[in-house]
Amino acid sequence: MKNKINVSNQGATLDTSRRNFLKLGGIGLAMAGLTLVGCDDDNFEFVDNKVFDLGMGDVGVLNYAYALEQLEADFYTKVVNNFYSGISTAEKELFTDLYHHEVIHRDFFKAAISGATSNVLPTLEFQYPNVNFNDRNSVLATAKALEDTGVAAYNGAGKYITNPDYLVIAGKIVSVEARHASAIRNLINPGTAAFSGDDVINANGLDLAKEPKDVVTAAGGFFKTPFTWKEQGIG
């Protein structure tokens, strides 16, 4: 059964006045009142009643994005709840902005998928065995890895999206994620070209794209809750 849902971000707050280059811009307007076409309920499945499968087609891609946004929101929640030692005021403001952005992204995907089907990816648990949240270098290195991976993940998954409305929203979100990545890279190497380094930009000047399987492999150590995505050969 297919459903139509209306998703609104009314009531969401976001303080980005200090960082114009990190503003969500038109994404808030695009999300407000957005109508999405629901997906078939049977595009989701549980394996052995324990491990959730992301599903097929657009459903799988939306759940994939939701999983990654859950991870980033969880990470930045931990950062802002206990800022690392010696953090500057400017860095506090930046991480607070990133936190708000990722929470908005996470909650948007939850609302969109939940409104379309009862079979939504559950709230995941995460782990950070090699991250010292009280150490600046450790936090920045992790943030860099997450943001770079997030940009590449959206770019790689775009070709699997068939609904043009979903594709437009994904394009808007990945543009914000790319700003996050640039901001973190500039904190690590201020005043350099590292914000658009050759390790994340291809020969055509475009952000790199990675297949879902490669992304899940790279970020898998953070996921405490297992999931599969059979359609993409994951799990």
Side-chain angles (χ1 to χ4, degrees):
M1 178 179 180
K2 291 182 181 293
N3 306 306
K4 277 194 174 182
I5 58 172
N6 292 309
V7 179
S8 173
N9 67 340
Q10 183 178 3
T13 60
L14 181 65
D15 178 9
T16 56
S17 59
R18 300 176 301 274
R19 295 262 188 264
N20 287 337
F21 63 92
L22 282 176
K23 283 185 177 179
L24 284 175
I27 193 169
L29 296 175
M31 287 181 180
L34 174 68
T35 298
L36 299 180
V37 178
C39 305
D40 286 335
D41 288 345
D42 57 6
N43 279 343
F44 291 86
E45 68 173 309
F46 279 88
V47 180
D48 296 329
N49 295 319
K50 294 181 180 179
V51 180
F52 188 86
D53 187 80
L54 299 186
M56 300 176 64
D58 288 347
V59 170
V61 179
L62 292 177
N63 267 319
Y64 171 58
Y66 180 36
L68 295 176
E69 295 297 351
Q70 282 194 51
L71 170 58
E72 290 188 316
D74 184 80
F75 171 74
Y76 287 116
T77 297
K78 287 179 169 55
V79 172
V80 300
N81 280 342
N82 185 25
F83 286 119
Y84 51 76
S85 178
I87 189 171
S88 68
T89 298
E91 289 174 354
K92 283 184 179 181
E93 292 174 347
L94 175 59
F95 278 115
T96 300
D97 287 344
L98 299 186
Y99 158 76
H100 282 300
H101 288 189
E102 300 301 356
V103 167
I104 287 173
H105 293 174
R106 179 200 65 196
D107 291 351
F108 168 71
F109 277 110
K110 181 178 181 180
I113 304 170
S114 297
T117 177
S118 60
N119 296 306
V120 61
L121 178 72
T123 299
L124 304 175
E125 292 186 49
F126 303 96
Q127 56 193 4
Y128 306 91
N130 299 315
V131 181
N132 179 356
F133 283 94
N134 195 45
D135 179 77
R136 181 179 187 271
N137 291 335
S138 182
V139 170
L140 288 179
T142 306
K144 174 176 174 287
L146 289 176
E147 296 295 353
D148 288 348
T149 300
V151 173
Y154 273 99
N155 289 338
K159 63 187 177 184
Y160 299 115
I161 299 175
T162 60
N163 185 316
D165 291 333
Y166 298 159
L167 188 59
V168 169
I169 291 301
K172 289 178 178 289
I173 292 178
V174 72
S175 71
V176 177
E177 298 293 353
R179 296 176 195 179
H180 293 179
S182 295
I184 292 296
R185 283 170 163 265
N186 190 63
L187 279 184
I188 297 173
N189 294 293
T192 72
F195 73 94
S196 59
D198 292 339
D199 56 328
V200 288
I201 303 296
N202 65 23
N204 296 318
L206 301 175
D207 288 309
L208 296 180
K210 292 185 178 180
E211 289 295 311
K213 191 170 185 178
D214 295 328
V215 170
V216 172
T217 297
F222 295 116
F223 289 94
K224 189 173 182 179
T225 305
F227 60 83
T228 63
W229 194 1
K230 289 183 176 181
E231 185 179 51
Q232 291 291 333
I234 298 171

